[in-house]
Amino acid sequence: MSSKFHARSAVAYEQLMGRWSRILARPFLEFTGLEPGERVLDVGCGTGSLTFMLPLVADVAHVSAIDYSEIYVEAARERNPDPRITIDRADACALPFSDAAFDRALALLVLHFIPETEQAVREMCRVVRPGGVVAAAVWDSYGGMPYQRMFWDTAVALDPSAAAARAESYFKPMTRPGEMRGLWTKVGLADVVETALTIRMDYQSFDDFWAPLAAGEGPLGKYVTALDKDKRTAFEQALREAYEATQPDGPRSFAAVAWACRGVVADG
């Protein structure tokens, strides 16, 4: 299994994460040092947040985007306006490309959902030419995602048995400081750099926050839809109170921190 992400709906994903991925995509690409004329692989493209940002940042020659979810692949294909971009379903741990086929392999907000993370990174290295770049970004899910902390801490306060799901969510692969840098070094990448990127998630109301979770999208949505009716109602009310924090319902803004790492494929 090459993805643990709970993919149910492309529309719900856009509301849950796609809109924030698009904001993160540009600073991530600035960190990777994208150059015109490059052939780029987007691993775990989702609905295309990074894919469609690539030609806007640099005049790339070609983008190959892959995702494990057919739902997301179909949605991204429908949105694709650029003949330089191809989008296919594929496994990040067994990429269907020849060695050294790309100048860069990038993964935005996906490695922490791949159990065989090292295999995925080794595959990214394999398909990038010597001197090319392998880079990824993942959320700092324990220390840098206050909206997620609000969700899980509320869940555990109501139901202590949710503690295991909270721990799994907080400590996914590659989400701790230095973890990606260590893996990049282990697989033989050179000139490894890790940094933190921060954006803000702006919600218009609690319903804007709650809707994709109620639809069952992602790990948080999976937890919500597994609750029985009474527990779900109680949880929704408690989470609403945490979101509103005694103030009227309306816009809220949460910081969101991602770890980003890049390295260069060595000769030979």
Side-chain angles (χ1 to χ4, degrees):
M1 180 180 183
S2 68
S3 175
K4 295 182 70 176
F5 192 83
H6 198 238
R8 296 279 296 272
S9 161
V11 173
Y13 175 81
E14 278 293 303
Q15 190 172 9
L16 175 71
M17 191 52 60
R19 51 182 168 171
W20 316 128
S21 300
R22 285 192 293 278
I23 296 173
L24 183 62
R26 185 174 288 275
F28 173 60
L29 289 175
E30 292 171 354
F31 169 73
T32 70
L34 188 68
E35 297 287 345
E38 291 187 332
R39 295 178 60 84
V40 183
L41 173 63
D42 180 2
V43 176
C45 65
T47 53
S49 298
L50 180 66
T51 306
F52 302 130
M53 183 63 69
L54 282 157
L56 301 180
V57 172
D59 186 18
V60 295
H62 183 75
V63 177
S64 292
I66 64 104
D67 199 272
Y68 195 71
S69 167
E70 189 64 46
I71 293 171
Y72 297 162
V73 167
E74 290 178 2
R77 283 174 174 166
E78 289 176 0
R79 294 176 53 204
N80 182 21
D82 195 326
R84 293 173 295 175
I85 296 172
T86 59
I87 304 165
D88 295 290
R89 184 181 185 275
D91 186 338
C93 294
L95 294 171
F97 305 106
S98 60
D99 295 355
F102 298 96
D103 299 293
R104 289 175 199 268
L106 310 177
L108 180 66
L109 305 178
V110 65
L111 287 186
H112 46 321
F113 291 110
I114 300 176
E116 306 88 354
T117 309
E118 182 174 332
Q119 174 62 19
V121 174
R122 289 189 182 277
E123 277 289 275
M124 292 170 71
C125 294
R126 178 185 65 79
V127 301
V128 171
R129 63 168 175 81
V133 172
V134 172
V138 300
W139 292 123
D140 177 3
S141 53
Y142 178 74
M145 298 292 285
Y147 94 91
Q148 182 170 277
R149 293 296 300 265
M150 180 176 71
F151 178 99
W152 285 116
D153 290 348
T154 300
V156 172
L158 292 178
D159 178 12
S161 69
R166 177 176 66 178
E168 181 181 1
S169 185
Y170 284 174
F171 301 112
K172 296 184 185 74
M174 302 294 105
T175 60
R176 305 190 200 201
E179 199 171 359
M180 279 198 294
R181 182 173 62 244
L183 178 56
W184 262 233
T185 301
K186 178 182 178 181
V187 301
L189 289 161
D191 301 326
V192 176
V193 178
E194 184 179 272
T195 193
L197 305 173
T198 301
I199 64 166
R200 297 201 70 87
M201 295 179 168
D202 296 309
Y203 297 94
Q204 295 307 306
S205 65
F206 177 73
D207 286 343
D208 185 29
F209 176 88
W210 175 253
L213 307 180
E217 198 67 16
L220 277 60
K222 182 179 180 181
Y223 173 81
V224 169
T225 53
L227 296 172
D228 65 35
K229 182 179 179 181
D230 290 342
K231 287 184 177 180
R232 178 171 169 171
T233 298
F235 178 62
E236 180 182 356
Q237 181 57 38
L239 191 60
R240 177 184 291 276
E241 291 173 3
Y243 175 93
E244 294 176 354
T246 75
Q247 300 300 304
D249 188 16
R252 299 291 189 274
S253 183
F254 299 96
V257 179
W259 294 113
C261 190
R262 69 170 187 259
V264 176
V265 177
D267 292 335

